[in-house]
Structure formats: C-alpha cells, structure tokens
PDB file of all heavy atoms in Angstrom:
ATOM      1  N   VAL A   1       1.119   5.400  10.002  1.00  0.00           N
ATOM      2  CA  VAL A   1      -0.114   5.386  10.796  1.00  0.00           C
ATOM      3  C   VAL A   1      -0.172   4.141  11.680  1.00  0.00           C
ATOM      4  O   VAL A   1      -0.134   3.011  11.177  1.00  0.00           O
ATOM      5  CB  VAL A   1      -1.344   5.412   9.865  1.00  0.00           C
ATOM      6  CG1 VAL A   1      -2.633   5.467  10.688  1.00  0.00           C
ATOM      7  CG2 VAL A   1      -1.277   6.589   8.893  1.00  0.00           C
ATOM      8  N   GLY A   2      -0.252   4.336  12.991  1.00  0.00           N
ATOM      9  CA  GLY A   2      -0.422   3.223  13.913  1.00  0.00           C
ATOM     10  C   GLY A   2      -1.842   2.691  13.836  1.00  0.00           C
ATOM     11  O   GLY A   2      -2.803   3.449  13.972  1.00  0.00           O
ATOM     12  N   TRP A   3      -1.973   1.383  13.635  1.00  0.00           N
ATOM     13  CA  TRP A   3      -3.288   0.775  13.403  1.00  0.00           C
ATOM     14  C   TRP A   3      -3.873   0.258  14.708  1.00  0.00           C
ATOM     15  O   TRP A   3      -3.778  -0.912  15.031  1.00  0.00           O
ATOM     16  CB  TRP A   3      -3.163  -0.359  12.383  1.00  0.00           C
ATOM     17  CG  TRP A   3      -4.474  -0.754  11.753  1.00  0.00           C
ATOM     18  CD1 TRP A   3      -5.709  -0.261  12.028  1.00  0.00           C
ATOM     19  CD2 TRP A   3      -4.659  -1.722  10.710  1.00  0.00           C
ATOM     20  NE1 TRP A   3      -6.656  -0.845  11.236  1.00  0.00           N
ATOM     21  CE2 TRP A   3      -6.035  -1.758  10.418  1.00  0.00           C
ATOM     22  CE3 TRP A   3      -3.794  -2.565  10.002  1.00  0.00           C
ATOM     23  CZ2 TRP A   3      -6.580  -2.604   9.450  1.00  0.00           C
ATOM     24  CZ3 TRP A   3      -4.330  -3.404   9.046  1.00  0.00           C
ATOM     25  CH2 TRP A   3      -5.701  -3.419   8.764  1.00  0.00           C
ATOM     26  N   ARG A   4      -4.515   1.146  15.469  1.00  0.00           N
ATOM     27  CA  ARG A   4      -5.275   0.728  16.637  1.00  0.00           C
ATOM     28  C   ARG A   4      -6.629   0.203  16.177  1.00  0.00           C
ATOM     29  O   ARG A   4      -7.217   0.724  15.232  1.00  0.00           O
ATOM     30  CB  ARG A   4      -5.480   1.909  17.596  1.00  0.00           C
ATOM     31  CG  ARG A   4      -4.196   2.460  18.203  1.00  0.00           C
ATOM     32  CD  ARG A   4      -3.441   1.463  19.045  1.00  0.00           C
ATOM     33  NE  ARG A   4      -4.249   0.902  20.112  1.00  0.00           N
ATOM     34  CZ  ARG A   4      -4.369   1.417  21.327  1.00  0.00           C
ATOM     35  NH1 ARG A   4      -3.716   2.526  21.641  1.00  0.00           N
ATOM     36  NH2 ARG A   4      -5.108   0.830  22.249  1.00  0.00           N
ATOM     37  N   GLY A   5      -7.122  -0.821  16.873  1.00  0.00           N
ATOM     38  CA  GLY A   5      -8.433  -1.364  16.520  1.00  0.00           C
ATOM     39  C   GLY A   5      -8.447  -2.170  15.237  1.00  0.00           C
ATOM     40  O   GLY A   5      -9.504  -2.318  14.599  1.00  0.00           O
ATOM     41  N   GLU A   6      -7.305  -2.713  14.851  1.00  0.00           N
ATOM     42  CA  GLU A   6      -7.277  -3.555  13.658  1.00  0.00           C
ATOM     43  C   GLU A   6      -8.284  -4.688  13.810  1.00  0.00           C
ATOM     44  O   GLU A   6      -8.333  -5.357  14.848  1.00  0.00           O
ATOM     45  CB  GLU A   6      -5.871  -4.131  13.462  1.00  0.00           C
ATOM     46  CG  GLU A   6      -5.765  -5.051  12.259  1.00  0.00           C
ATOM     47  CD  GLU A   6      -4.416  -5.741  12.148  1.00  0.00           C
ATOM     48  OE1 GLU A   6      -3.508  -5.398  12.932  1.00  0.00           O
ATOM     49  OE2 GLU A   6      -4.285  -6.628  11.276  1.00  0.00           O
ATOM     50  N   PRO A   7      -9.114  -4.922  12.807  1.00  0.00           N
ATOM     51  CA  PRO A   7     -10.086  -6.010  12.894  1.00  0.00           C
ATOM     52  C   PRO A   7      -9.423  -7.337  13.262  1.00  0.00           C
ATOM     53  O   PRO A   7      -8.391  -7.710  12.697  1.00  0.00           O
ATOM     54  CB  PRO A   7     -10.681  -6.064  11.478  1.00  0.00           C
ATOM     55  CG  PRO A   7     -10.552  -4.658  10.985  1.00  0.00           C
ATOM     56  CD  PRO A   7      -9.254  -4.153  11.554  1.00  0.00           C
ATOM     57  N   GLY A   8     -10.003  -8.020  14.243  1.00  0.00           N
ATOM     58  CA  GLY A   8      -9.457  -9.293  14.693  1.00  0.00           C
ATOM     59  C   GLY A   8      -8.440  -9.186  15.799  1.00  0.00           C
ATOM     60  O   GLY A   8      -8.003 -10.203  16.347  1.00  0.00           O
ATOM     61  N   VAL A   9      -8.034  -7.960  16.145  1.00  0.00           N
ATOM     62  CA  VAL A   9      -7.069  -7.741  17.226  1.00  0.00           C
ATOM     63  C   VAL A   9      -7.785  -7.013  18.354  1.00  0.00           C
ATOM     64  O   VAL A   9      -8.352  -5.941  18.148  1.00  0.00           O
ATOM     65  CB  VAL A   9      -5.859  -6.908  16.735  1.00  0.00           C
ATOM     66  CG1 VAL A   9      -4.885  -6.665  17.883  1.00  0.00           C
ATOM     67  CG2 VAL A   9      -5.166  -7.605  15.575  1.00  0.00           C
ATOM     68  N   HIS A  10      -7.764  -7.576  19.559  1.00  0.00           N
ATOM     69  CA  HIS A  10      -8.482  -6.971  20.687  1.00  0.00           C
ATOM     70  C   HIS A  10      -7.971  -5.561  20.968  1.00  0.00           C
ATOM     71  O   HIS A  10      -6.760  -5.315  21.014  1.00  0.00           O
ATOM     72  CB  HIS A  10      -8.322  -7.821  21.950  1.00  0.00           C
ATOM     73  CG  HIS A  10      -8.955  -7.198  23.159  1.00  0.00           C
ATOM     74  ND1 HIS A  10     -10.323  -7.140  23.335  1.00  0.00           N
ATOM     75  CD2 HIS A  10      -8.410  -6.584  24.243  1.00  0.00           C
ATOM     76  CE1 HIS A  10     -10.596  -6.527  24.473  1.00  0.00           C
ATOM     77  NE2 HIS A  10      -9.444  -6.178  25.048  1.00  0.00           N
ATOM     78  N   ASP A  11      -8.897  -4.636  21.166  1.00  0.00           N
ATOM     79  CA  ASP A  11      -8.529  -3.256  21.472  1.00  0.00           C
ATOM     80  C   ASP A  11      -9.675  -2.610  22.235  1.00  0.00           C
ATOM     81  O   ASP A  11     -10.720  -3.221  22.451  1.00  0.00           O
ATOM     82  CB  ASP A  11      -8.218  -2.478  20.183  1.00  0.00           C
ATOM     83  CG  ASP A  11      -7.151  -1.405  20.406  1.00  0.00           C
ATOM     84  OD1 ASP A  11      -7.197  -0.735  21.447  1.00  0.00           O
ATOM     85  OD2 ASP A  11      -6.282  -1.242  19.531  1.00  0.00           O
ATOM     86  N   GLU A  12      -9.484  -1.354  22.605  1.00  0.00           N
ATOM     87  CA  GLU A  12     -10.491  -0.620  23.360  1.00  0.00           C
ATOM     88  C   GLU A  12     -11.637  -0.170  22.450  1.00  0.00           C
ATOM     89  O   GLU A  12     -11.451  -0.015  21.240  1.00  0.00           O
ATOM     90  CB  GLU A  12      -9.846   0.580  24.047  1.00  0.00           C
ATOM     91  CG  GLU A  12      -8.758   0.200  25.032  1.00  0.00           C
ATOM     92  CD  GLU A  12      -9.233  -0.798  26.068  1.00  0.00           C
ATOM     93  OE1 GLU A  12     -10.274  -0.548  26.715  1.00  0.00           O
ATOM     94  OE2 GLU A  12      -8.581  -1.845  26.222  1.00  0.00           O
ATOM     95  N   PRO A  13     -12.839   0.064  23.023  1.00  0.00           N
ATOM     96  CA  PRO A  13     -14.022   0.348  22.198  1.00  0.00           C
ATOM     97  C   PRO A  13     -13.894   1.573  21.308  1.00  0.00           C
ATOM     98  O   PRO A  13     -14.425   1.596  20.192  1.00  0.00           O
ATOM     99  CB  PRO A  13     -15.144   0.526  23.232  1.00  0.00           C
ATOM    100  CG  PRO A  13     -14.462   0.743  24.548  1.00  0.00           C
ATOM    101  CD  PRO A  13     -13.178  -0.024  24.457  1.00  0.00           C
ATOM    102  N   GLN A  14     -13.153   2.594  21.771  1.00  0.00           N
ATOM    103  CA  GLN A  14     -13.021   3.801  20.963  1.00  0.00           C
ATOM    104  C   GLN A  14     -12.197   3.571  19.700  1.00  0.00           C
ATOM    105  O   GLN A  14     -12.202   4.411  18.787  1.00  0.00           O
ATOM    106  CB  GLN A  14     -12.411   4.942  21.781  1.00  0.00           C
ATOM    107  CG  GLN A  14     -10.963   4.725  22.220  1.00  0.00           C
ATOM    108  CD  GLN A  14     -10.836   4.040  23.557  1.00  0.00           C
ATOM    109  OE1 GLN A  14     -11.719   3.315  23.974  1.00  0.00           O
ATOM    110  NE2 GLN A  14      -9.732   4.292  24.251  1.00  0.00           N
ATOM    111  N   HIS A  15     -11.490   2.435  19.639  1.00  0.00           N
ATOM    112  CA  HIS A  15     -10.646   2.158  18.476  1.00  0.00           C
ATOM    113  C   HIS A  15     -11.307   1.216  17.460  1.00  0.00           C
ATOM    114  O   HIS A  15     -10.798   1.062  16.347  1.00  0.00           O
ATOM    115  CB  HIS A  15      -9.322   1.535  18.923  1.00  0.00           C
ATOM    116  CG  HIS A  15      -8.502   2.420  19.810  1.00  0.00           C
ATOM    117  ND1 HIS A  15      -8.074   3.668  19.415  1.00  0.00           N
ATOM    118  CD2 HIS A  15      -8.042   2.235  21.076  1.00  0.00           C
ATOM    119  CE1 HIS A  15      -7.373   4.206  20.412  1.00  0.00           C
ATOM    120  NE2 HIS A  15      -7.348   3.374  21.419  1.00  0.00           N
ATOM    121  N   ILE A  16     -12.409   0.597  17.844  1.00  0.00           N
ATOM    122  CA  ILE A  16     -12.955  -0.478  17.011  1.00  0.00           C
ATOM    123  C   ILE A  16     -13.382   0.020  15.632  1.00  0.00           C
ATOM    124  O   ILE A  16     -12.916  -0.487  14.601  1.00  0.00           O
ATOM    125  CB  ILE A  16     -14.131  -1.169  17.729  1.00  0.00           C
ATOM    126  CG1 ILE A  16     -13.616  -1.926  18.964  1.00  0.00           C
ATOM    127  CG2 ILE A  16     -14.844  -2.139  16.781  1.00  0.00           C
ATOM    128  CD1 ILE A  16     -14.708  -2.491  19.848  1.00  0.00           C
ATOM    129  N   TYR A  17     -14.261   1.033  15.581  1.00  0.00           N
ATOM    130  CA  TYR A  17     -14.731   1.499  14.279  1.00  0.00           C
ATOM    131  C   TYR A  17     -13.615   2.193  13.508  1.00  0.00           C
ATOM    132  O   TYR A  17     -13.466   2.007  12.293  1.00  0.00           O
ATOM    133  CB  TYR A  17     -15.933   2.429  14.424  1.00  0.00           C
ATOM    134  CG  TYR A  17     -16.451   2.908  13.083  1.00  0.00           C
ATOM    135  CD1 TYR A  17     -17.053   2.004  12.199  1.00  0.00           C
ATOM    136  CD2 TYR A  17     -16.293   4.226  12.676  1.00  0.00           C
ATOM    137  CE1 TYR A  17     -17.496   2.422  10.952  1.00  0.00           C
ATOM    138  CE2 TYR A  17     -16.736   4.648  11.440  1.00  0.00           C
ATOM    139  CZ  TYR A  17     -17.336   3.736  10.583  1.00  0.00           C
ATOM    140  OH  TYR A  17     -17.767   4.163   9.352  1.00  0.00           O
ATOM    141  N   GLN A  18     -12.807   2.983  14.225  1.00  0.00           N
ATOM    142  CA  GLN A  18     -11.679   3.643  13.566  1.00  0.00           C
ATOM    143  C   GLN A  18     -10.752   2.618  12.925  1.00  0.00           C
ATOM    144  O   GLN A  18     -10.250   2.815  11.816  1.00  0.00           O
ATOM    145  CB  GLN A  18     -10.894   4.483  14.575  1.00  0.00           C
ATOM    146  CG  GLN A  18      -9.722   5.270  13.984  1.00  0.00           C
ATOM    147  CD  GLN A  18     -10.170   6.425  13.118  1.00  0.00           C
ATOM    148  OE1 GLN A  18     -10.902   7.296  13.570  1.00  0.00           O
ATOM    149  NE2 GLN A  18      -9.733   6.451  11.872  1.00  0.00           N
ATOM    150  N   GLY A  19     -10.547   1.503  13.612  1.00  0.00           N
ATOM    151  CA  GLY A  19      -9.713   0.442  13.055  1.00  0.00           C
ATOM    152  C   GLY A  19     -10.295  -0.161  11.800  1.00  0.00           C
ATOM    153  O   GLY A  19      -9.566  -0.490  10.854  1.00  0.00           O
ATOM    154  N   GLU A  20     -11.624  -0.288  11.775  1.00  0.00           N
ATOM    155  CA  GLU A  20     -12.285  -0.873  10.605  1.00  0.00           C
ATOM    156  C   GLU A  20     -12.120  -0.009   9.360  1.00  0.00           C
ATOM    157  O   GLU A  20     -12.014  -0.528   8.241  1.00  0.00           O
ATOM    158  CB  GLU A  20     -13.778  -1.058  10.894  1.00  0.00           C
ATOM    159  CG  GLU A  20     -14.085  -2.117  11.941  1.00  0.00           C
ATOM    160  CD  GLU A  20     -15.564  -2.160  12.308  1.00  0.00           C
ATOM    161  OE1 GLU A  20     -16.349  -1.387  11.711  1.00  0.00           O
ATOM    162  OE2 GLU A  20     -15.944  -2.960  13.183  1.00  0.00           O
ATOM    163  N   VAL A  21     -12.111   1.307   9.526  1.00  0.00           N
ATOM    164  CA  VAL A  21     -12.100   2.207   8.360  1.00  0.00           C
ATOM    165  C   VAL A  21     -10.731   2.811   8.081  1.00  0.00           C
ATOM    166  O   VAL A  21     -10.594   3.643   7.173  1.00  0.00           O
ATOM    167  CB  VAL A  21     -13.144   3.337   8.525  1.00  0.00           C
ATOM    168  CG1 VAL A  21     -14.540   2.753   8.659  1.00  0.00           C
ATOM    169  CG2 VAL A  21     -12.822   4.246   9.715  1.00  0.00           C
ATOM    170  N   THR A  22      -9.705   2.407   8.833  1.00  0.00           N
ATOM    171  CA  THR A  22      -8.379   3.027   8.714  1.00  0.00           C
ATOM    172  C   THR A  22      -7.843   3.005   7.284  1.00  0.00           C
ATOM    173  O   THR A  22      -7.491   4.057   6.727  1.00  0.00           O
ATOM    174  CB  THR A  22      -7.374   2.323   9.649  1.00  0.00           C
ATOM    175  OG1 THR A  22      -7.741   2.610  10.997  1.00  0.00           O
ATOM    176  CG2 THR A  22      -5.953   2.801   9.401  1.00  0.00           C
ATOM    177  N   VAL A  23      -7.767   1.842   6.698  1.00  0.00           N
ATOM    178  CA  VAL A  23      -7.203   1.726   5.350  1.00  0.00           C
ATOM    179  C   VAL A  23      -8.140   2.356   4.322  1.00  0.00           C
ATOM    180  O   VAL A  23      -7.692   3.038   3.397  1.00  0.00           O
ATOM    181  CB  VAL A  23      -6.928   0.244   5.014  1.00  0.00           C
ATOM    182  CG1 VAL A  23      -6.466   0.092   3.568  1.00  0.00           C
ATOM    183  CG2 VAL A  23      -5.865  -0.322   5.966  1.00  0.00           C
ATOM    184  N   LYS A  24      -9.432   2.166   4.493  1.00  0.00           N
ATOM    185  CA  LYS A  24     -10.411   2.717   3.544  1.00  0.00           C
ATOM    186  C   LYS A  24     -10.333   4.239   3.487  1.00  0.00           C
ATOM    187  O   LYS A  24     -10.390   4.837   2.407  1.00  0.00           O
ATOM    188  CB  LYS A  24     -11.819   2.279   3.927  1.00  0.00           C
ATOM    189  CG  LYS A  24     -12.900   2.710   2.923  1.00  0.00           C
ATOM    190  CD  LYS A  24     -14.264   2.194   3.322  1.00  0.00           C
ATOM    191  CE  LYS A  24     -15.306   2.514   2.245  1.00  0.00           C
ATOM    192  NZ  LYS A  24     -15.457   3.950   1.984  1.00  0.00           N
ATOM    193  N   LEU A  25     -10.200   4.882   4.649  1.00  0.00           N
ATOM    194  CA  LEU A  25     -10.102   6.343   4.672  1.00  0.00           C
ATOM    195  C   LEU A  25      -8.885   6.822   3.888  1.00  0.00           C
ATOM    196  O   LEU A  25      -8.956   7.790   3.128  1.00  0.00           O
ATOM    197  CB  LEU A  25     -10.025   6.851   6.114  1.00  0.00           C
ATOM    198  CG  LEU A  25     -11.335   6.974   6.883  1.00  0.00           C
ATOM    199  CD1 LEU A  25     -11.061   7.381   8.329  1.00  0.00           C
ATOM    200  CD2 LEU A  25     -12.264   7.991   6.237  1.00  0.00           C
ATOM    201  N   LEU A  26      -7.762   6.167   4.088  1.00  0.00           N
ATOM    202  CA  LEU A  26      -6.550   6.551   3.362  1.00  0.00           C
ATOM    203  C   LEU A  26      -6.735   6.370   1.856  1.00  0.00           C
ATOM    204  O   LEU A  26      -6.398   7.257   1.064  1.00  0.00           O
ATOM    205  CB  LEU A  26      -5.363   5.721   3.856  1.00  0.00           C
ATOM    206  CG  LEU A  26      -4.896   6.006   5.291  1.00  0.00           C
ATOM    207  CD1 LEU A  26      -3.954   4.926   5.776  1.00  0.00           C
ATOM    208  CD2 LEU A  26      -4.238   7.382   5.391  1.00  0.00           C
ATOM    209  N   GLU A  27      -7.290   5.232   1.489  1.00  0.00           N
ATOM    210  CA  GLU A  27      -7.487   4.965   0.060  1.00  0.00           C
ATOM    211  C   GLU A  27      -8.517   5.914  -0.547  1.00  0.00           C
ATOM    212  O   GLU A  27      -8.373   6.348  -1.693  1.00  0.00           O
ATOM    213  CB  GLU A  27      -7.899   3.512  -0.134  1.00  0.00           C
ATOM    214  CG  GLU A  27      -6.757   2.541   0.195  1.00  0.00           C
ATOM    215  CD  GLU A  27      -7.167   1.087   0.093  1.00  0.00           C
ATOM    216  OE1 GLU A  27      -8.391   0.806   0.082  1.00  0.00           O
ATOM    217  OE2 GLU A  27      -6.268   0.219   0.041  1.00  0.00           O
ATOM    218  N   ASP A  28      -9.558   6.261   0.215  1.00  0.00           N
ATOM    219  CA  ASP A  28     -10.552   7.222  -0.271  1.00  0.00           C
ATOM    220  C   ASP A  28      -9.942   8.593  -0.509  1.00  0.00           C
ATOM    221  O   ASP A  28     -10.439   9.376  -1.332  1.00  0.00           O
ATOM    222  CB  ASP A  28     -11.712   7.338   0.723  1.00  0.00           C
ATOM    223  CG  ASP A  28     -12.652   6.148   0.672  1.00  0.00           C
ATOM    224  OD1 ASP A  28     -12.541   5.339  -0.275  1.00  0.00           O
ATOM    225  OD2 ASP A  28     -13.503   6.023   1.572  1.00  0.00           O
ATOM    226  N   MET A  29      -8.859   8.903   0.225  1.00  0.00           N
ATOM    227  CA  MET A  29      -8.163  10.174   0.035  1.00  0.00           C
ATOM    228  C   MET A  29      -7.098  10.073  -1.058  1.00  0.00           C
ATOM    229  O   MET A  29      -6.329  11.016  -1.268  1.00  0.00           O
ATOM    230  CB  MET A  29      -7.524  10.632   1.348  1.00  0.00           C
ATOM    231  CG  MET A  29      -8.523  11.102   2.385  1.00  0.00           C
ATOM    232  SD  MET A  29      -7.747  11.828   3.853  1.00  0.00           S
ATOM    233  CE  MET A  29      -7.119  10.373   4.702  1.00  0.00           C
ATOM    234  N   GLY A  30      -7.064   8.934  -1.744  1.00  0.00           N
ATOM    235  CA  GLY A  30      -6.101   8.767  -2.829  1.00  0.00           C
ATOM    236  C   GLY A  30      -4.698   8.480  -2.355  1.00  0.00           C
ATOM    237  O   GLY A  30      -3.723   8.707  -3.089  1.00  0.00           O
ATOM    238  N   ILE A  31      -4.554   7.958  -1.125  1.00  0.00           N
ATOM    239  CA  ILE A  31      -3.242   7.673  -0.554  1.00  0.00           C
ATOM    240  C   ILE A  31      -2.953   6.180  -0.685  1.00  0.00           C
ATOM    241  O   ILE A  31      -3.643   5.351  -0.086  1.00  0.00           O
ATOM    242  CB  ILE A  31      -3.171   8.104   0.924  1.00  0.00           C
ATOM    243  CG1 ILE A  31      -3.436   9.613   1.051  1.00  0.00           C
ATOM    244  CG2 ILE A  31      -1.816   7.750   1.524  1.00  0.00           C
ATOM    245  CD1 ILE A  31      -3.506  10.108   2.480  1.00  0.00           C
TER     246      ILE A  31
END
C-alpha cells in the first residue's frame, strides 16, 4: 500500500485524512 498523506509529510488535501487512517484501517481489518 502506497502511503499518500502520511502524517507529517506534505501532500494534497484529498490524501490528508486517508493518510491519517491508513494503518488503522488495515489493522481494524485484522491485517
């Protein structure tokens, strides 16, 4: 999974929230 919008790394607005929850979503799915 490419981590766009990683917290602390400048990115476009559409990636900001997705970047914040990227790892959490995977872990919530048991991955």
Side-chain angles (χ1 to χ4, degrees):
V1 183
W3 198 357
R4 296 298 304 271
E6 178 186 353
V9 179
H10 176 73
D11 212 319
E12 299 306 308
Q14 66 270 26
H15 298 301
I16 293 172
Y17 181 68
Q18 183 71 57
E20 292 174 2
V21 300
T22 292
V23 175
K24 185 177 186 300
L25 279 175
L26 292 167
E27 291 176 343
D28 285 348
M29 289 187 286
I31 300 175

